[in-house]
Amino acid sequence: MDYMQHQIPSTEALMALAGNLDENIQYIEKRLAVEIQVRENNLIISGKKAEICDRLINNLFMLIQMGHRIDGQKIDYAIEMIQVDLNSDILALYQHTICVTPSGQVVTPKTLGQKKYLELIENKDLVFGLGPAGTGKTYLAVAMAIRAFKNKQVKKIIITRPAIEAGENLGYLPGNLQMKVEPYLRPVYDAMTQMLGQDAFEHYRERGFIEIAPLAYMRGRTLDNAFIVLDEAQNTTIQQMKMFLTRFGYGSKVIINGDVTQVDLKSADQSGLQHATSILGELDEIGIMNFTEQDVVRHGLVKKIISCYEESGE
């Protein structure tokens, strides 16, 4: 059995690491199958993964020093990074600030995949974000759109999606197309209001600086100086995708997100997202980010569920 000794920076740091009723220490012990004991000014770590645990605790103490609250989610991210590379530094994620919400919450990437996605958005005119639900594709794209708008890099934010939803026939719902698709854009509304505040969001939307609309509303337009996000793009047809890709003009940035395993069209072969990435992937101006279950930032069980479905071929 391996042993490691880690010096405790301060009593306050130890309390922040341990959490309420030592829940964080117990969680680390369970995750890594180690034992952690406090002896004077040191943490004594024993177990086969003692070295990984030592590196983890070092990362967590640095996060505490930066003012972050430690929880199971942050512990999971740090463990996954360290297991890939023992010298991984979780600070590289949390130092990449996208924006700060009115409540003071700092929006940052939470996985290495998310960090790479943000770097692609910063450096490419057109970015495809491919991967399962819960990887932060839409949330981060909205955050980057808001940052670009606030920094006056664009004059308008446009969020759109095709009016197709799993198991639903929108034709039977009351109202026009905008009203029918509005419930399915709720995640976008939630992200916008969290990052801007309800009043600012409504103000910008009423003034036309933020537009959230079905994909059909994009036809016939040229979109200059805009940050445009196409969500649920796996449900576009090839012709819809071509129409959308030929809309954006000078000074614009386009983010296209989707999960090619969740196509709701009658034939998966029709997916404009699959077709576009297959024929455009070699262009230098385009970035493609393939998220995996390791980038899922929901409940830890979600990663296992996704993995099980992938193994089953469904």
Side-chain angles (χ1 to χ4, degrees):
M1 183 175 289
D2 297 328
Y3 293 88
M4 298 289 294
Q5 180 173 295
H6 195 106
Q7 186 173 5
I8 300 170
S10 66
T11 302
E12 292 76 13
L14 176 60
M15 292 175 63
L17 173 69
N20 186 37
L21 300 176
D22 293 340
E23 61 182 357
N24 291 335
I25 295 294
Q26 294 173 14
Y27 186 69
I28 293 170
E29 288 180 322
K30 182 179 179 180
R31 277 295 315 270
L32 296 177
V34 296
E35 183 178 351
I36 302 172
Q37 296 179 324
V38 179
R39 293 181 187 170
E40 298 180 350
N41 295 324
N42 296 291
L43 290 174
I44 307 301
I45 308 164
S46 57
K48 291 183 179 180
K49 295 184 178 179
E51 187 177 6
I52 291 176
C53 184
D54 179 68
R55 181 64 185 175
L56 168 67
I57 289 172
N58 186 61
N59 273 270
L60 296 179
F61 274 140
M62 287 191 289
L63 286 180
I64 290 167
Q65 191 174 25
M66 291 175 61
H68 290 278
R69 178 181 173 275
I70 303 303
D71 55 25
Q73 198 173 58
K74 287 188 176 69
I75 292 169
D76 283 339
Y77 301 150
I79 289 174
E80 288 173 6
M81 289 178 62
I82 293 166
Q83 287 179 330
V84 172
D85 179 359
L86 189 62
N87 295 316
S88 290
D89 185 352
I90 196 172
L91 294 183
L93 295 179
Y94 290 95
Q95 288 175 336
H96 192 129
T97 299
I98 306 170
C99 63
V100 180
T101 70
S103 64
Q105 179 184 346
V106 179
V107 180
T108 66
K110 296 179 178 179
T111 70
L112 290 175
Q114 289 188 353
K115 181 172 181 288
K116 181 180 177 182
Y117 177 59
L118 294 176
E119 290 169 350
L120 286 174
I121 293 175
E122 289 175 344
N123 296 305
K124 302 289 185 178
D125 295 328
L126 171 60
V127 174
F128 290 90
L130 311 176
T135 50
K137 302 185 298 295
T138 301
Y139 185 82
L140 293 176
V142 169
M144 292 295 281
I146 290 173
R147 187 177 78 168
F149 178 72
K150 286 186 172 181
N151 291 342
K152 302 186 184 305
Q153 295 171 325
V154 297
K155 295 181 179 179
K156 186 172 187 176
I157 297 172
I158 299 172
I159 314 291
T160 186
R161 68 178 292 172
I164 295 177
E165 192 66 23
E168 299 287 349
N169 186 336
L170 297 182
Y172 288 102
L173 297 177
N176 59 27
L177 181 59
Q178 176 77 43
M179 294 172 63
K180 289 177 180 180
V181 82
E182 195 125 324
Y184 302 111
L185 289 163
R186 178 51 53 187
V188 174
Y189 285 95
D190 292 343
M192 285 279 189
T193 53
Q194 179 189 356
M195 294 179 208
L196 288 172
Q198 184 69 43
D199 292 342
F201 170 65
E202 293 295 344
H203 171 75
Y204 288 136
R205 195 175 179 203
E206 289 172 3
R207 296 281 301 275
F209 295 124
I210 294 176
E211 180 179 350
I212 303 175
L215 180 59
Y217 284 24
M218 300 298 109
R219 189 174 298 277
R221 301 173 61 183
T222 299
L223 307 171
D224 292 328
N225 300 307
F227 198 112
I228 311 157
V229 179
L230 171 58
D231 207 25
E232 300 292 339
Q234 74 274 6
N235 288 328
T236 59
T237 64
I238 294 174
Q239 289 304 312
Q240 284 176 325
M241 180 63 76
K242 180 182 177 182
M243 177 275 293
F244 174 76
L245 288 171
T246 55
R247 293 307 93 198
F248 78 99
Y250 292 106
S252 290
K253 187 178 288 287
V254 175
I255 312 301
I256 299 175
N257 293 325
D259 180 357
V260 293
T261 69
Q262 297 293 319
V263 177
D264 296 320
L265 300 169
K266 293 182 179 179
S267 170
D269 294 333
Q270 290 181 301
S271 175
L273 179 61
Q274 291 173 314
H275 180 261
T277 52
S278 68
I279 67 171
L280 302 176
E282 299 301 318
L283 297 179
D284 291 337
E285 297 88 349
I286 293 176
I288 299 178
M289 179 62 210
N290 289 289
F291 290 97
T292 70
E293 68 271 11
Q294 298 304 315
D295 297 302
V296 172
V297 292
R298 294 179 179 173
H299 191 288
L301 182 58
V302 175
K303 296 182 183 181
K304 296 179 181 179
I305 291 171
I306 292 170
S307 180
C308 288
Y309 270 98
E310 288 180 346
E311 290 176 5
S312 72
E314 296 294 334

